[in-house]
Amino acid sequence: NDKRQYFYNDGGTLGVSEKRTEWSNEYLFTCSFDGQYFQFKNMKGKYLGHKGLSDAAHNFELAEYLGGVNLKTPNGNYFVMNAEGGFDHSTIGTYDPASTDFSTIYKFEEFNFPVDGETYYIYSDTYYNDEYVNRYMYADGSNLKLNTSLSTDAAYQWTCIVTEDGKVQFKNGAGKYLKHKGVQDAPYDFTLNKYNANHAIAATLFSSADGGRYFVVKSDGTGFNQSTIVETGEYCADFVFMPVNEVKVFTVKGSNNNTGAKVTWNGETKTLPATWVITPQTTITDATLSVSGSATHSFDGLSEAGNDLGKTIEIGSLDANRAITAKFTPAFFSTFYGEKWV
């Protein structure tokens, strides 16, 4: 299944949790590498070992497997987790949780606080109607709003400012500062705390203003609030900071007047000109890019930077922004106008 389980130190034993609980030393592991093997030590001084935690260091080899890695000891045993949360070891390192009750797939999420001077997209990782929904924050004039679709507009981009006393401020490209439940023209201080979010490493936004409150988002996306506690049921208190330079933009535009032409990619069909915003979380399930002609123009092919690409291409990943042109010529007979063109 797709259920994530986070490791933590449960009174000296290895526990797992899929709940959104505030990060503590029990959840954080420091990775070390001696040139041959990896070791993982949590902030309580315990090492990750087979089937649990140990006072002594355990060595692991890492190998990529199904989007993650598996953990193998020098004697050939793999670290195995079962669907109920228990642990074991096996000489088999290819357990796929999609088809078995066991898993040898592990992922490491690195936590870094936002950096002074860097610009981020900020979203709340809400859980609503039995699914996880990213809700991106942006300023619409003097109002703070949420959108489940990410735009690269300056209103969505927030630059981190760290003050001399360690507080943080977030100012967007439109000159507005983030505050509790809104935006304002003047700086507004927050304190960041590490947080175990649904699908990503995140942080809470706490402000000593108004008696000391956490900034929270309503899980259905209809608004904001502030709370003296992190977990409030219908609200979400975790925020993820996605560096702007990790987001790629893929655009397809058309030549000539191509009203009605459409482009299909990654399971979506859009009218030209079309834009896709690709985040580190984006999964490309259908890499084929195809274009259909309009009522008045025929489709001749794709081009990029003056190079012809053919009529269909495969785009399985984006390492940089891309802009592709769909070329059209007027049809000799238009069913739209009902007459020949000369």
Short mmCIF file of all heavy atoms in Angstrom, two decimals, residues 144-194:
data_model
loop_
_atom_site.label_atom_id
_atom_site.label_comp_id
_atom_site.label_asym_id
_atom_site.label_seq_id
_atom_site.Cartn_x
_atom_site.Cartn_y
_atom_site.Cartn_z
N LEU A 144 -5.22 36.87 1.82
CA LEU A 144 -4.48 35.62 1.70
C LEU A 144 -5.45 34.54 1.26
O LEU A 144 -6.53 34.37 1.83
CB LEU A 144 -3.84 35.24 3.03
CG LEU A 144 -2.97 33.98 3.02
CD1 LEU A 144 -1.74 34.17 2.14
CD2 LEU A 144 -2.56 33.61 4.44
N LYS A 145 -5.07 33.78 0.22
CA LYS A 145 -5.95 32.76 -0.32
C LYS A 145 -5.19 31.44 -0.51
O LYS A 145 -3.97 31.39 -0.40
CB LYS A 145 -6.57 33.22 -1.64
CG LYS A 145 -7.52 34.39 -1.49
CD LYS A 145 -8.22 34.72 -2.80
CE LYS A 145 -9.22 35.85 -2.62
NZ LYS A 145 -9.93 36.16 -3.90
N LEU A 146 -5.96 30.39 -0.80
CA LEU A 146 -5.41 29.05 -1.02
C LEU A 146 -5.80 28.56 -2.40
O LEU A 146 -6.87 28.88 -2.91
CB LEU A 146 -5.95 28.08 0.03
CG LEU A 146 -5.59 28.36 1.49
CD1 LEU A 146 -6.47 27.52 2.42
CD2 LEU A 146 -4.12 28.06 1.75
N ASN A 147 -4.92 27.76 -2.98
CA ASN A 147 -5.20 27.18 -4.29
C ASN A 147 -4.59 25.79 -4.33
O ASN A 147 -3.44 25.60 -3.92
CB ASN A 147 -4.60 28.05 -5.40
CG ASN A 147 -5.15 27.71 -6.77
OD1 ASN A 147 -5.75 26.66 -6.97
ND2 ASN A 147 -4.93 28.59 -7.73
N THR A 148 -5.33 24.80 -4.82
CA THR A 148 -4.78 23.45 -4.93
C THR A 148 -3.87 23.32 -6.15
O THR A 148 -3.14 22.33 -6.26
CB THR A 148 -5.91 22.41 -5.02
OG1 THR A 148 -6.78 22.77 -6.11
CG2 THR A 148 -6.71 22.37 -3.72
N SER A 149 -3.90 24.29 -7.05
CA SER A 149 -3.00 24.32 -8.19
C SER A 149 -1.93 25.38 -7.95
O SER A 149 -2.23 26.48 -7.50
CB SER A 149 -3.75 24.65 -9.48
OG SER A 149 -4.71 23.65 -9.77
N LEU A 150 -0.69 25.03 -8.26
CA LEU A 150 0.41 25.96 -8.04
C LEU A 150 0.61 26.85 -9.27
O LEU A 150 0.62 26.37 -10.40
CB LEU A 150 1.70 25.18 -7.76
CG LEU A 150 2.98 26.02 -7.62
CD1 LEU A 150 2.84 27.02 -6.47
CD2 LEU A 150 4.18 25.12 -7.41
N SER A 151 0.75 28.14 -9.02
CA SER A 151 1.09 29.09 -10.07
C SER A 151 2.48 29.64 -9.79
O SER A 151 2.90 29.75 -8.63
CB SER A 151 0.07 30.24 -10.09
OG SER A 151 0.54 31.31 -10.89
N THR A 152 3.21 29.99 -10.84
CA THR A 152 4.53 30.59 -10.67
C THR A 152 4.45 32.12 -10.56
O THR A 152 5.47 32.80 -10.60
CB THR A 152 5.46 30.21 -11.82
OG1 THR A 152 4.85 30.58 -13.07
CG2 THR A 152 5.72 28.70 -11.83
N ASP A 153 3.25 32.63 -10.40
CA ASP A 153 3.06 34.07 -10.22
C ASP A 153 3.78 34.53 -8.95
O ASP A 153 3.92 33.79 -7.97
CB ASP A 153 1.57 34.38 -10.11
CG ASP A 153 1.29 35.87 -10.08
OD1 ASP A 153 1.20 36.47 -11.15
OD2 ASP A 153 1.19 36.42 -8.97
N ALA A 154 4.24 35.79 -8.96
CA ALA A 154 4.98 36.34 -7.83
C ALA A 154 4.18 36.32 -6.53
O ALA A 154 4.76 36.27 -5.44
CB ALA A 154 5.42 37.77 -8.14
N ALA A 155 2.84 36.32 -6.62
CA ALA A 155 2.01 36.31 -5.42
C ALA A 155 2.14 35.02 -4.64
O ALA A 155 1.83 34.96 -3.44
CB ALA A 155 0.55 36.56 -5.80
N TYR A 156 2.61 33.94 -5.31
CA TYR A 156 2.78 32.63 -4.67
C TYR A 156 4.18 32.44 -4.10
O TYR A 156 4.43 31.46 -3.40
CB TYR A 156 2.53 31.51 -5.69
CG TYR A 156 1.09 31.29 -6.06
CD1 TYR A 156 0.42 32.17 -6.92
CD2 TYR A 156 0.38 30.19 -5.60
CE1 TYR A 156 -0.89 31.96 -7.30
CE2 TYR A 156 -0.93 29.96 -5.96
CZ TYR A 156 -1.56 30.85 -6.81
OH TYR A 156 -2.87 30.64 -7.19
N GLN A 157 5.10 33.32 -4.43
CA GLN A 157 6.51 33.14 -4.07
C GLN A 157 6.85 33.98 -2.84
O GLN A 157 6.68 35.20 -2.84
CB GLN A 157 7.40 33.51 -5.25
CG GLN A 157 7.15 32.65 -6.48
CD GLN A 157 8.05 33.02 -7.65
OE1 GLN A 157 8.92 33.86 -7.52
NE2 GLN A 157 7.84 32.38 -8.79
N TRP A 158 7.36 33.30 -1.81
CA TRP A 158 7.62 33.93 -0.52
C TRP A 158 9.10 33.86 -0.19
O TRP A 158 9.68 32.77 -0.12
CB TRP A 158 6.80 33.26 0.58
CG TRP A 158 5.33 33.24 0.31
CD1 TRP A 158 4.64 32.29 -0.39
CD2 TRP A 158 4.37 34.22 0.72
NE1 TRP A 158 3.30 32.61 -0.44
CE2 TRP A 158 3.10 33.79 0.23
CE3 TRP A 158 4.45 35.40 1.45
CZ2 TRP A 158 1.94 34.52 0.46
CZ3 TRP A 158 3.29 36.12 1.68
CH2 TRP A 158 2.05 35.67 1.19
N THR A 159 9.71 35.00 0.02
CA THR A 159 11.13 35.06 0.37
C THR A 159 11.28 35.08 1.89
O THR A 159 10.61 35.84 2.58
CB THR A 159 11.79 36.30 -0.24
OG1 THR A 159 11.70 36.23 -1.66
CG2 THR A 159 13.26 36.38 0.16
N CYS A 160 12.15 34.21 2.38
CA CYS A 160 12.39 34.09 3.82
C CYS A 160 13.35 35.18 4.28
O CYS A 160 14.40 35.41 3.67
CB CYS A 160 12.96 32.71 4.14
SG CYS A 160 13.41 32.48 5.87
N ILE A 161 12.99 35.84 5.37
CA ILE A 161 13.84 36.85 6.00
C ILE A 161 14.05 36.43 7.45
O ILE A 161 13.07 36.29 8.21
CB ILE A 161 13.20 38.25 5.94
CG1 ILE A 161 12.93 38.66 4.49
CG2 ILE A 161 14.09 39.28 6.63
CD1 ILE A 161 12.05 39.89 4.35
N VAL A 162 15.30 36.18 7.85
CA VAL A 162 15.60 35.78 9.23
C VAL A 162 16.09 37.01 9.99
O VAL A 162 17.03 37.68 9.57
CB VAL A 162 16.66 34.67 9.27
CG1 VAL A 162 16.97 34.28 10.72
CG2 VAL A 162 16.19 33.45 8.49
N THR A 163 15.44 37.30 11.10
CA THR A 163 15.79 38.47 11.89
C THR A 163 16.99 38.18 12.80
O THR A 163 17.40 37.03 12.96
CB THR A 163 14.60 38.93 12.74
OG1 THR A 163 14.31 37.92 13.72
CG2 THR A 163 13.38 39.14 11.87
N GLU A 164 17.52 39.21 13.44
CA GLU A 164 18.68 39.05 14.31
C GLU A 164 18.39 38.15 15.51
O GLU A 164 19.29 37.48 16.02
CB GLU A 164 19.17 40.42 14.80
CG GLU A 164 19.80 41.28 13.69
CD GLU A 164 20.34 42.58 14.24
OE1 GLU A 164 20.16 42.85 15.45
OE2 GLU A 164 20.94 43.35 13.44
N ASP A 165 17.15 38.12 15.96
CA ASP A 165 16.80 37.27 17.10
C ASP A 165 16.26 35.90 16.69
O ASP A 165 15.69 35.18 17.50
CB ASP A 165 15.80 37.98 18.01
CG ASP A 165 14.50 38.34 17.29
OD1 ASP A 165 14.43 38.16 16.06
OD2 ASP A 165 13.56 38.80 17.96
N GLY A 166 16.44 35.54 15.41
CA GLY A 166 16.09 34.19 14.96
C GLY A 166 14.66 34.01 14.50
O GLY A 166 14.27 32.90 14.12
N LYS A 167 13.87 35.05 14.51
CA LYS A 167 12.50 34.96 13.99
C LYS A 167 12.55 34.96 12.46
O LYS A 167 13.54 35.36 11.85
CB LYS A 167 11.66 36.12 14.49
CG LYS A 167 11.50 36.18 16.00
CD LYS A 167 10.74 34.99 16.53
CE LYS A 167 10.33 35.19 18.00
NZ LYS A 167 11.49 35.30 18.90
N VAL A 168 11.46 34.52 11.83
CA VAL A 168 11.41 34.50 10.38
C VAL A 168 10.21 35.29 9.88
O VAL A 168 9.16 35.34 10.55
CB VAL A 168 11.35 33.06 9.82
CG1 VAL A 168 12.62 32.30 10.10
CG2 VAL A 168 10.14 32.32 10.35
N GLN A 169 10.39 35.92 8.74
CA GLN A 169 9.32 36.62 8.05
C GLN A 169 9.26 36.10 6.62
O GLN A 169 10.27 35.64 6.08
CB GLN A 169 9.59 38.13 8.04
CG GLN A 169 9.78 38.73 9.42
CD GLN A 169 10.48 40.07 9.39
OE1 GLN A 169 10.90 40.56 8.33
NE2 GLN A 169 10.62 40.69 10.55
N PHE A 170 8.08 36.18 6.01
CA PHE A 170 7.92 35.74 4.63
C PHE A 170 7.24 36.85 3.82
O PHE A 170 6.12 37.25 4.12
CB PHE A 170 7.11 34.45 4.56
CG PHE A 170 7.80 33.29 5.20
CD1 PHE A 170 7.52 32.92 6.50
CD2 PHE A 170 8.78 32.58 4.51
CE1 PHE A 170 8.18 31.86 7.09
CE2 PHE A 170 9.45 31.52 5.10
CZ PHE A 170 9.14 31.16 6.40
N LYS A 171 7.99 37.34 2.82
CA LYS A 171 7.51 38.44 1.98
C LYS A 171 7.38 37.94 0.55
O LYS A 171 8.32 37.37 0.00
CB LYS A 171 8.50 39.60 2.05
CG LYS A 171 8.07 40.84 1.29
CD LYS A 171 9.11 41.94 1.44
CE LYS A 171 8.69 43.22 0.73
NZ LYS A 171 9.71 44.29 0.87
N ASN A 172 6.21 38.14 -0.05
CA ASN A 172 6.03 37.62 -1.40
C ASN A 172 6.43 38.65 -2.46
O ASN A 172 6.80 39.79 -2.15
CB ASN A 172 4.60 37.11 -1.62
CG ASN A 172 3.59 38.22 -1.80
OD1 ASN A 172 3.88 39.40 -1.70
ND2 ASN A 172 2.35 37.83 -2.05
N GLY A 173 6.39 38.21 -3.71
CA GLY A 173 6.84 39.06 -4.81
C GLY A 173 6.00 40.29 -5.02
O GLY A 173 6.42 41.22 -5.73
N ALA A 174 4.81 40.32 -4.43
CA ALA A 174 3.95 41.50 -4.53
C ALA A 174 4.17 42.45 -3.36
O ALA A 174 3.45 43.45 -3.23
CB ALA A 174 2.49 41.07 -4.58
N GLY A 175 5.16 42.15 -2.48
CA GLY A 175 5.49 43.06 -1.38
C GLY A 175 4.68 42.85 -0.12
O GLY A 175 4.75 43.68 0.80
N LYS A 176 3.91 41.77 -0.03
CA LYS A 176 3.08 41.51 1.14
C LYS A 176 3.76 40.51 2.08
O LYS A 176 4.37 39.54 1.64
CB LYS A 176 1.72 40.95 0.72
CG LYS A 176 0.88 41.90 -0.14
CD LYS A 176 0.45 43.13 0.63
CE LYS A 176 -0.47 44.02 -0.20
NZ LYS A 176 -0.89 45.23 0.55
N TYR A 177 3.62 40.78 3.39
CA TYR A 177 4.17 39.88 4.40
C TYR A 177 3.08 38.92 4.89
O TYR A 177 1.93 39.33 5.13
CB TYR A 177 4.70 40.67 5.60
CG TYR A 177 6.00 41.40 5.33
CD1 TYR A 177 5.99 42.69 4.81
CD2 TYR A 177 7.22 40.80 5.60
CE1 TYR A 177 7.18 43.38 4.57
CE2 TYR A 177 8.42 41.48 5.37
CZ TYR A 177 8.39 42.76 4.85
OH TYR A 177 9.56 43.42 4.61
N LEU A 178 3.46 37.67 5.06
CA LEU A 178 2.55 36.68 5.62
C LEU A 178 2.34 36.96 7.10
O LEU A 178 3.28 37.28 7.83
CB LEU A 178 3.15 35.28 5.43
CG LEU A 178 2.30 34.10 5.92
CD1 LEU A 178 1.04 33.98 5.07
CD2 LEU A 178 3.13 32.82 5.86
N LYS A 179 1.09 36.83 7.56
CA LYS A 179 0.78 36.96 8.97
C LYS A 179 -0.31 35.94 9.30
O LYS A 179 -0.76 35.18 8.43
CB LYS A 179 0.31 38.37 9.30
CG LYS A 179 -1.07 38.72 8.72
CD LYS A 179 -1.60 40.02 9.31
CE LYS A 179 -3.03 40.27 8.86
NZ LYS A 179 -3.62 41.46 9.53
N HIS A 180 -0.74 35.90 10.57
CA HIS A 180 -1.85 35.04 10.94
C HIS A 180 -3.09 35.40 10.12
O HIS A 180 -3.54 36.56 10.13
CB HIS A 180 -2.19 35.18 12.42
CG HIS A 180 -1.39 34.30 13.31
ND1 HIS A 180 -1.07 33.00 12.99
CD2 HIS A 180 -0.81 34.53 14.52
CE1 HIS A 180 -0.37 32.46 13.95
NE2 HIS A 180 -0.18 33.37 14.89
N LYS A 181 -3.61 34.44 9.40
CA LYS A 181 -4.87 34.56 8.68
C LYS A 181 -4.88 35.61 7.58
O LYS A 181 -5.94 36.00 7.12
CB LYS A 181 -6.04 34.84 9.65
CG LYS A 181 -6.21 33.80 10.72
CD LYS A 181 -7.50 33.97 11.49
CE LYS A 181 -7.51 35.23 12.31
NZ LYS A 181 -8.75 35.36 13.12
N GLY A 182 -3.69 36.08 7.14
CA GLY A 182 -3.72 37.09 6.09
C GLY A 182 -2.35 37.58 5.70
O GLY A 182 -1.33 36.93 5.94
N VAL A 183 -2.33 38.75 5.07
CA VAL A 183 -1.09 39.41 4.68
C VAL A 183 -1.17 40.87 5.09
O VAL A 183 -2.25 41.41 5.33
CB VAL A 183 -0.83 39.31 3.16
CG1 VAL A 183 -0.57 37.88 2.74
CG2 VAL A 183 -2.00 39.90 2.36
N GLN A 184 -0.01 41.52 5.18
CA GLN A 184 0.02 42.93 5.53
C GLN A 184 1.27 43.56 4.93
O GLN A 184 2.16 42.87 4.43
CB GLN A 184 0.01 43.12 7.05
CG GLN A 184 1.22 42.58 7.76
CD GLN A 184 1.14 42.75 9.27
OE1 GLN A 184 0.06 42.71 9.86
NE2 GLN A 184 2.28 42.96 9.91
N ASP A 185 1.34 44.90 4.97
CA ASP A 185 2.46 45.63 4.39
C ASP A 185 3.68 45.63 5.31
O ASP A 185 4.81 45.75 4.84
CB ASP A 185 2.05 47.07 4.09
CG ASP A 185 0.99 47.14 3.00
OD1 ASP A 185 1.01 46.27 2.10
OD2 ASP A 185 0.16 48.06 3.05
N ALA A 186 3.48 45.48 6.61
CA ALA A 186 4.58 45.54 7.58
C ALA A 186 5.10 44.13 7.88
O ALA A 186 4.36 43.15 7.79
CB ALA A 186 4.10 46.20 8.86
N PRO A 187 6.37 44.00 8.27
CA PRO A 187 6.93 42.69 8.63
C PRO A 187 6.16 42.05 9.78
O PRO A 187 5.62 42.74 10.66
CB PRO A 187 8.37 43.02 9.03
CG PRO A 187 8.68 44.29 8.32
CD PRO A 187 7.40 45.07 8.30
N TYR A 188 6.13 40.72 9.79
CA TYR A 188 5.41 39.96 10.81
C TYR A 188 6.27 38.75 11.17
O TYR A 188 6.67 37.98 10.30
CB TYR A 188 4.05 39.52 10.28
CG TYR A 188 3.11 38.94 11.31
CD1 TYR A 188 2.20 39.75 11.99
CD2 TYR A 188 3.13 37.59 11.60
CE1 TYR A 188 1.33 39.21 12.92
CE2 TYR A 188 2.26 37.04 12.54
CZ TYR A 188 1.36 37.85 13.19
OH TYR A 188 0.50 37.33 14.12
N ASP A 189 6.57 38.59 12.47
CA ASP A 189 7.50 37.56 12.91
C ASP A 189 6.81 36.24 13.22
O ASP A 189 5.75 36.21 13.87
CB ASP A 189 8.24 38.02 14.18
CG ASP A 189 9.19 39.17 13.92
OD1 ASP A 189 9.51 39.42 12.73
OD2 ASP A 189 9.62 39.82 14.89
N PHE A 190 7.43 35.15 12.76
CA PHE A 190 7.03 33.80 13.13
C PHE A 190 8.23 33.06 13.73
O PHE A 190 9.39 33.38 13.44
CB PHE A 190 6.56 33.00 11.91
CG PHE A 190 5.19 33.37 11.41
CD1 PHE A 190 5.05 34.14 10.26
CD2 PHE A 190 4.05 32.94 12.07
CE1 PHE A 190 3.79 34.47 9.78
CE2 PHE A 190 2.79 33.28 11.60
CZ PHE A 190 2.66 34.04 10.45
N THR A 191 7.92 32.04 14.51
CA THR A 191 8.92 31.08 14.96
C THR A 191 8.61 29.75 14.29
O THR A 191 7.45 29.29 14.30
CB THR A 191 8.88 30.90 16.49
OG1 THR A 191 9.18 32.15 17.10
CG2 THR A 191 9.91 29.86 16.94
N LEU A 192 9.62 29.12 13.70
CA LEU A 192 9.43 27.84 13.03
C LEU A 192 9.76 26.70 13.99
O LEU A 192 10.76 26.74 14.70
CB LEU A 192 10.34 27.73 11.80
CG LEU A 192 10.04 28.65 10.62
CD1 LEU A 192 11.09 28.46 9.54
CD2 LEU A 192 8.66 28.38 10.07
N ASN A 193 8.91 25.68 13.97
CA ASN A 193 9.17 24.46 14.73
C ASN A 193 9.06 23.27 13.79
O ASN A 193 8.17 23.22 12.93
CB ASN A 193 8.16 24.29 15.86
CG ASN A 193 8.31 25.36 16.92
OD1 ASN A 193 9.36 25.48 17.54
ND2 ASN A 193 7.27 26.16 17.12
N LYS A 194 9.95 22.31 13.94
CA LYS A 194 9.92 21.11 13.09
C LYS A 194 8.62 20.36 13.30
O LYS A 194 8.06 20.32 14.39
CB LYS A 194 11.11 20.21 13.40
CG LYS A 194 12.46 20.85 13.12
CD LYS A 194 13.59 19.96 13.57
CE LYS A 194 14.93 20.65 13.33
NZ LYS A 194 16.07 19.86 13.82
#
